[in-house]
Every structure is written in C-alpha cells, then in structure tokens.
Amino acid sequence: MTNREEQFEQLSAYLDGELTAKEALELEGVLHADPDMQAELESLRQTRDLLRQLPQESAPDHFAHAVMARAEKHHHLGKANPAGMYRSWRWIQMATAAVVLLAAGLGLIVIKNLQLQKGTETVVVEGPPPEPLVADGPSRAAEAEPVAVPMAIATAGDIDAAPASPALPAVVTEVIWTDDLALAQRQVENVLAVNDIEAVEWDESAAMGGPKAMAVNSYQAAKTDGRQIQLVVNIEADQVDRLRLDLTKLRNQQVVAQSFAPGSIDRYESKDAGSRDDPAAGSRSTTVTSDDQDLALRAEEAEARRERANLPREEELAAAKADPPAATTADRAAAYPGVVDKDEPLDTIIPPAESAAAAARSEAPLPLEDVPDFSSFAETADTAADEGGTDDAMAEAADIEYEAIDAVTEEMDQEPGGAPSGDVAAADAIPDESLPAMQQVVIYLNRAPSPIRRASPMITDDDAESRN
Amino acid sequence: MSAKSSKAVDSSAASRDIGGQQVVHLDDDALVTLVRNGDMQAFGVLVGRYQDRVFNLVYRMCSRRAEAEELAQDAFVKALERIDQFKGNSRFYTWLFRIAANLTISHQRRYKRVRFHSIDGASEDDAPAENLTAEIAQRRAPDPATAAEVAETRDMVTEALAAMEEPFRIVLVLRDMQDMDYAEIAQVLDVPVGTVKSRLFRARGLLRERLEELRP
C-alpha cells in the first residue's frame, strides 16, 4: 500500500475520531493541501451519515417474555443461589399454574389450580400412582403414599428469603408396548429431545431415587432387562401434558396392542383389547396421521439439530459397545407361553447410557463449531486487498470453510491465551435441590410378544383361541 | 460522540420495567454476578437493557424480522447458558454482541441466503405493515415530497447495506448504528483494531458504490 493509499485509509478512522493526536495532526496537514482528499473525506462523511439516519429497530414487545420463557425452559439455573431459593421471574409475575397429574391405570386424578402468592403453597397428590403394566417392572408400592409437593415462591427484591425445602416429585407412569425396543427407545428419546429434555447418565447408586439427583427437564434411561427399558424423566409440571401427548402419539404408532401384560395372554388376545387409556387399542395400522406428521417433523427437527452438531446417528449407534445380556429363549418362552417363537432372536438394545450421552451431546445448543473465525478471514481478505484483489476476490476469501472451533465463549476471554473456564454441559447436569417441585414421568418401554413382526409367523385371534 | 452514542450508553433508561426496581438500576457487572447465582430477575433486566440493540444488530445482519427475533433470542439464551464462562475482561454487552454476531453470521452462512429489502415489495415473510412501500405511503410529513425523498433514500441505504458481504456489513452496523468504537468492534469480531480500521474504510467505499448503482 502506498503512502497515499494509507492516508486515504486514515480518513475513515479520522472521521471516527480513532486516530491518535499525532496521526490526526499529520493527516490534517495533508488534507489542507489536497482537494481530492478533502472530497473523499466529505464523501465518507455523507455515507456514514446515511447509515446513522437509518431507524433503530426495536425488539418486539413480547421479546423479553419470550427470552425469559426460553431461559426458564432450558433451566439454565442448575445451581442454587446462596439463599437456597429458586427465584423465578415468572413467579414474581404471579402467574397462575395448573398442575395436572395424570394416572395411567389405577389411581385418582387430581386437578388443582394454584394461585401463586407470596409464601409457600403445597400441592398434595392424592391417590397412589399406578402400577406399571409389566410383570418384571420394579414395584412402585413405595410411592403409593400421597406426595406433598411444596413450592417456594420468591418475593420480589427479597434476596434473603427463607430457603424452600426440596421434596420428591410426584410420579406419573407411561407405558408403551413395542415390538422393537431399540426403535421405541430412539423414538422416545427423540420426543424428549424435541421437548428440550436432556439426557443424563443413569445413577446406579440411587436406584429409583436416582432421578432425585437430576435437574428438571432431564432424563435417565436404563435397561432393566432384555424386555424393558425404563426412562425416568424430571420435567416441569406445565410440560407434562405436551410430553404425554407425544408419548400417546408414539404409542399409537406401535404395531402391537397397548393393553396387555406379559403372562396375561388372554388380555392380549382380547378383541376388545380393553386398554385403560385407549379403548381402540389393538393391532393398529401405521397410517400416518397429522399428529404423526407433526411428531415426525419435530423428530426431523431434532435430527437436523444433531446433524448440525455433526453427530450422525450411525456413529452414535456404532459407538455403543456395551450390549445388554440377552434374555434366554427359555425365559421368553416362560413369559409368553405358546406364543413366542423360541428360535426368534431378541433385538439388540441400544445401551441407554451411550444413547443418552450421545443425545445429550446432540442436544447441545446451537452449534458453535462452525462459527466463522473472523481473524482468519481478516488475514485472507486483507491479504487479497493488499495484493490488489477485487471485491469478488475478497468475497471469495471471506467464504472460508468452517472448522471445528472452541466454544464462542472460550474466545470471549480477552486475555490472550485464555483457557475455557469450565464444562457448561456438566454444569447443566448439576442437580439443584432448591429447584421448584418437578413432575417425574417414568416411561416403561416393554417388548411385547412379537407375532406381528414380519419375520415371525403371524398369530391371529383364531390361532390364539385354538391354543387355548 | 453523536446523539446515538448517548442513547447507546444510557442503558438503564433503555431498560423496561419488569419488576424489582432495586435490581433494575444495578450496573452490568452486578447483574451478571446475580445471574451467576441464579437470579432470573437480574437476567431479565439485562434482557430489557440490551434487547433493542441486539435485535437491531441481528436485524441489520439478516434483514428478516422473524429470523432476527429468533436469533436475537438465541443470543440471550446462549449468553445465559455460558454466563459462567464470562470472565469480565470485556464489557458484558460486548460479549453479548459477539455471541449475537457469531450466531447470526453462522446462521447466514449455513443457509447461504442473501436477503434484500425490496423497495417495491415486502420481504418473503414480512408482515404487510413492514412493507417498505406501504411505510412510505403511510408516512405523513409537512412536506410529502421531502418525506418521500428521505424515505426513499433510507430504503436505498437499507437495501445497499443488506446486499453487502457480511464482514463489511457488520462493521458498518457496529460502528455507525451501534456506535461502538474500534476497540469494542475488535472485541466483538475478535480481530485486531487495525483490521477494523481498514475494513471500515473499504466497507464505506463499497456502500458508497452500491448506493451510486441504486440511485436513479
């Protein structure tokens, strides 16, 4: 760059008051004697002023509310404040929350509207949670007692409010019978992903109390045996309906009846298939409904997010090395007398820990890996400009390939060579007992007898009756 | 400093009242400390304080209101997610703007779309009220001819800005619409100050050329 070109380049900075006193003085001396440079300065001033006259766009009226709703939904505050109380902007607004507790099967349904006030409200879940429709599922008798769910409400500006006492959340059970446990697990995890519920590692040491260690809007998946996968979900009360709706859609997509239990073949064979939650249950077609499309679209959206995070599903599955111990054919024959084809192999179940971890990675917020590196662009563009490149050349130089980069905020540290300060993903998983009461949903995926599978002989009602 | 810069730095006056009058007057550093401790109210104050500026930045970069709204929301949500990693070595809003800029540019590049504000018609998904021609027609001024001329010029500038390559567009937006100084722009874009200086010079020249092409 010639000296004159450098001087022209100084004009823009001079206009912005960004030259040092010495530089400004030198440039003013040049300006005084150079009409062309004066004209250029005036032209730059006019161009700058045109931009300054553009109206400042304001955020929409609902913007702040939308941000806060998303922030609370993502549950970023996975850590207690010093007072041990969860201070919620929404609650300060004294919103009215309706808590809907649904019992699949036995139990009472209690619906209570709450008016959130200053102080503490307690919601009592009356009636026992339902028993899951599985022969080998864990007993839920321990949770048959009514569960008190205290909710602590923050007061505006009250930093030192009394801490809320944490309590076990009420439990809702969902059961899905399937002929393909692995597929059903992926489908459920997709449902959880589109509802922004994150996976955490299963806590072996905590048994059914394990979910107590989970933050809200998270889940843990575990295989109890070769025929059942259990997913325990901690979720905000107002998300339960949506989750259950999605699970119902999944349930409706299954090709097996949803109302029978292993060992109760007569119920499975029943044409009425008197499902407590779906009177029309039975062998269903897989006709795609609008609900299915909606679910599929949302699943695609979740899948797209995973793809953007460069975590192809196939690699996730390939990474799952720990295979569950397969139930023997004798076990299955005992469970499904007269029905099971003892030569039929069991499905390989995706190890839930691996799947959950992969899902957690894929559900990371907007991927930062492909955020452009401005510094490299600057070097290439400036080099192109210095070498007399055209606008197109500079544009091409700007169209750089993405590379995996550190998280944006690691570069926010203005100190040279700053190191990342922590693992945000890990921080999100830190449990917080001062959080408001959560609704726990336990999803049982049960592998049904598989007479309807394509590889197996079909078992019709007539066949079943003839066996009896 | 221009009048716009006084608006930019008067952050407390720009914030909306969302409750907690005590919190709303705290400076950014104090609010960030509260947010780190789980105070959503403090986060709400930060949102109110910078939502217009962040939205304006994103909108000027992507030119589609619905998209800008979502990306601007993403910026705040991501800032909240990563609040523990903000070390306070820069101003909070600089850090926030960087997140917003990176998200927007990343989004733009991923979908490789160039959007224009058309003088003659609405953008693809803009509401009719946002139609620039309608805005011109609805505007009332003592001197309709002058008002129309001003509006038309404004539309041309908007269109020219939207058509620029993003590295040049963003320096213009940050400098001439967000009133950031070169050091702040350098922090947002993570480039040396010298790069900001040369890029701004080129950007203004490019904008001037595009305006000359658009003038009747």
Side-chain angles (χ1 to χ4, degrees):
Chain A
M1 188 183 289
T2 65
N3 187 45
R4 185 164 176 75
E5 287 170 346
E6 287 177 3
Q7 288 173 342
F8 268 99
E9 191 171 291
Q10 296 270 48
L11 288 176
S12 183
Y14 175 76
L15 199 61
D16 294 329
E18 293 280 349
L19 294 182
T20 63
K22 181 179 176 208
E23 290 172 335
L25 197 62
E26 287 177 1
L27 187 64
E28 285 168 357
V30 175
L31 274 169
H32 184 71
D34 191 332
D36 289 341
M37 198 162 284
Q38 291 174 19
E40 176 69 9
L41 178 64
E42 183 56 27
S43 177
L44 286 174
R45 190 193 312 275
Q46 290 176 5
T47 303
R48 183 199 65 178
D49 290 347
L50 284 173
L51 275 173
R52 288 186 164 190
Q53 289 165 13
L54 287 180
Q56 291 281 344
E57 298 290 334
S58 295
D61 289 340
H62 60 271
F63 183 87
H65 287 76
V67 170
M68 299 308 292
R70 285 182 59 182
E72 291 197 19
K73 185 181 177 183
H74 281 276
H75 188 64
H76 295 296
L77 299 178
K79 42 194 176 299
N81 65 31
M85 169 174 283
Y86 174 76
R87 188 204 302 249
S88 168
W89 170 83
R90 183 177 62 188
W91 289 4
I92 292 173
Q93 297 287 320
M94 297 182 65
T96 299
V99 178
V100 178
L101 302 173
L102 303 175
L106 300 175
L108 299 175
I109 299 176
V110 176
I111 299 175
K112 181 175 181 179
N113 288 323
L114 301 176
Q115 186 71 32
L116 297 181
Q117 306 283 341
K118 281 189 180 183
T120 301
E121 286 273 354
T122 299
V123 176
V124 176
V125 177
E126 298 179 9
E131 291 288 336
L133 299 178
V134 293
D136 299 324
S139 168
R140 305 294 291 171
E143 289 153 8
E145 295 299 321
V147 177
V149 182
M151 297 184 186
I153 290 86
T155 58
D158 183 3
I159 298 175
D160 297 325
S165 52
L168 284 174
V171 178
V172 167
T173 304
E174 291 283 338
V175 178
I176 298 176
W177 289 92
T178 179
D179 63 330
D180 187 335
L181 267 180
L183 175 61
Q185 181 181 9
R186 285 200 297 272
Q187 289 173 329
V188 170
E189 289 180 345
N190 278 343
V191 166
L192 297 174
V194 298
N195 282 291
D196 295 319
I197 299 169
E198 300 177 352
V200 296
E201 296 292 329
W202 182 262
D203 183 358
E204 293 291 344
S205 64
M208 284 310 297
K212 189 166 64 174
M214 294 195 301
V216 71
N217 294 328
S218 63
Y219 76 95
Q220 294 177 335
K223 173 186 56 58
T224 56
D225 59 27
R227 290 165 294 177
Q228 182 184 79
I229 293 175
Q230 181 189 114
L231 298 101
V232 181
V233 184
N234 278 6
I235 191 173
E236 293 180 41
D238 62 355
Q239 299 293 314
V240 171
D241 276 352
R242 181 172 176 174
L243 174 61
R244 292 191 73 253
L245 181 63
D246 289 345
L247 293 174
T248 298
K249 292 175 187 175
L250 271 185
R251 192 181 291 114
N252 292 340
Q253 291 175 357
Q254 303 303 315
V255 297
V256 297
Q258 296 296 309
S259 60
F260 64 92
S264 302
I265 302 300
D266 57 338
R267 293 180 61 196
Y268 170 70
E269 296 168 353
S270 167
K271 290 184 181 177
D272 291 334
S275 167
R276 294 184 184 85
D277 51 3
D278 187 355
S283 300
R284 321 186 148 264
S285 69
T286 54
T287 302
V288 177
T289 65
S290 59
D291 287 342
D292 299 331
Q293 292 178 25
D294 176 59
L295 187 62
L297 284 172
R298 287 164 61 202
E300 285 177 13
E301 187 181 333
E303 189 62 37
R305 287 201 292 269
R306 278 189 285 274
E307 288 175 2
R308 287 197 292 271
N310 295 320
L311 289 174
R313 175 60 76 178
E314 293 73 19
E315 289 185 12
E316 293 175 23
L317 295 178
K321 292 185 174 59
D323 288 329
T328 63
T329 53
D331 293 338
R332 298 180 63 248
Y336 312 126
V339 174
V340 170
D341 178 357
K342 57 186 176 182
D343 294 326
E344 186 178 307
L346 283 175
D347 287 332
T348 298
I349 299 172
I350 299 169
E354 294 284 350
S355 174
R361 289 196 301 276
S362 70
E363 274 311 296
L366 291 176
L368 301 173
E369 294 82 1
D370 54 356
V371 172
D373 180 351
F374 275 102
S375 59
S376 63
F377 163 75
E379 290 170 4
T380 55
D382 291 346
T383 300
D386 291 345
E387 292 172 354
T390 62
D391 290 350
D392 288 343
M394 283 193 281
E396 287 178 5
D399 192 14
I400 57 175
E401 290 292 330
Y402 287 130
E403 295 178 358
I405 64 171
D406 295 334
V408 168
T409 52
E410 291 176 2
E411 298 177 1
M412 298 300 174
D413 186 350
Q414 298 306 313
E415 292 178 357
S421 63
D423 181 356
V424 174
D428 287 344
I430 292 174
D432 180 9
E433 293 188 346
S434 70
L435 288 175
M438 297 172 287
Q439 183 76 52
Q440 188 173 96
V441 178
V442 181
I443 304 169
Y444 294 98
L445 303 179
N446 299 324
R447 188 167 184 274
S450 58
I452 301 177
R453 291 174 59 187
R454 277 175 265 171
S456 308
M458 292 296 291
I459 296 182
T460 63
D461 288 344
D462 292 336
D463 291 339
E465 285 177 358
S466 68
R467 286 199 183 90
N468 290 330
Chain B
M1 297 285 278
S2 66
K4 275 193 182 178
S5 64
S6 64
K7 176 190 173 183
V9 300
D10 188 11
S11 56
S12 61
S15 65
R16 296 179 183 176
D17 177 18
I18 58 172
Q21 193 174 4
Q22 181 182 0
V23 177
V24 78
H25 293 303
L26 295 176
D27 63 18
D28 289 356
D29 291 339
L31 290 171
V32 168
T33 301
L34 289 174
V35 172
R36 280 209 183 98
N37 288 328
D39 191 335
M40 284 292 277
Q41 185 184 24
F43 178 67
V45 173
L46 288 170
V47 172
R49 189 170 288 182
Y50 292 112
Q51 60 180 351
D52 287 344
R53 292 186 64 186
V54 170
F55 178 80
N56 189 58
L57 166 66
V58 176
Y59 180 65
R60 290 298 174 187
M61 290 302 295
C62 70
S63 302
R64 294 171 69 144
R65 183 165 285 271
E67 205 166 289
E69 186 177 335
E70 179 148 354
L71 287 169
Q73 288 181 22
D74 289 345
F76 280 103
V77 171
K78 182 159 297 295
L80 180 61
E81 283 178 7
R82 308 288 178 145
I83 198 69
D84 286 343
Q85 295 184 8
F86 174 63
K87 291 185 170 53
N89 296 313
S90 60
R91 298 287 300 277
F92 171 76
Y93 77 86
T94 305
W95 182 71
L96 176 64
F97 274 40
R98 183 170 182 190
I99 293 174
N102 281 340
L103 284 175
T104 305
I105 291 171
S106 176
H107 177 82
Q108 294 283 87
R109 291 196 169 205
R110 185 176 300 120
Y111 294 104
K112 294 191 185 301
R113 283 182 291 182
V114 178
R115 296 171 190 84
F116 299 88
H117 265 294
S118 169
I119 290 178
D120 294 327
S123 300
E124 286 180 50
D125 57 354
D126 282 350
E130 295 174 348
N131 183 302
L132 295 174
T133 304
E135 182 183 339
I136 293 170
Q138 291 167 8
R139 191 169 297 133
R140 292 187 177 84
D143 184 348
T146 303
E149 184 179 337
V150 168
E152 189 171 346
T153 300
R154 189 178 299 172
D155 297 339
M156 277 196 303
V157 175
T158 300
E159 182 174 342
L161 180 66
M164 294 185 73
E165 295 294 332
E166 67 207 20
F168 299 111
R169 184 163 13 128
I170 194 167
V171 290
L172 290 174
V173 172
L174 290 174
R175 173 61 208 150
D176 292 330
M177 302 194 71
Q178 298 291 339
D179 264 333
M180 287 190 161
D181 61 30
Y182 284 20
E184 290 171 333
I185 297 173
Q187 289 178 353
V188 170
L189 302 182
D190 192 26
V191 298
V193 172
T195 301
V196 174
K197 178 176 148 185
S198 61
R199 196 180 294 178
L200 256 175
F201 171 69
R202 291 196 197 97
R204 283 168 172 157
L206 286 171
L207 182 66
R208 180 176 55 195
E209 289 172 15
R210 291 189 192 275
L211 285 171
E212 287 171 1
E213 291 170 5
L214 288 173
R215 283 187 202 281

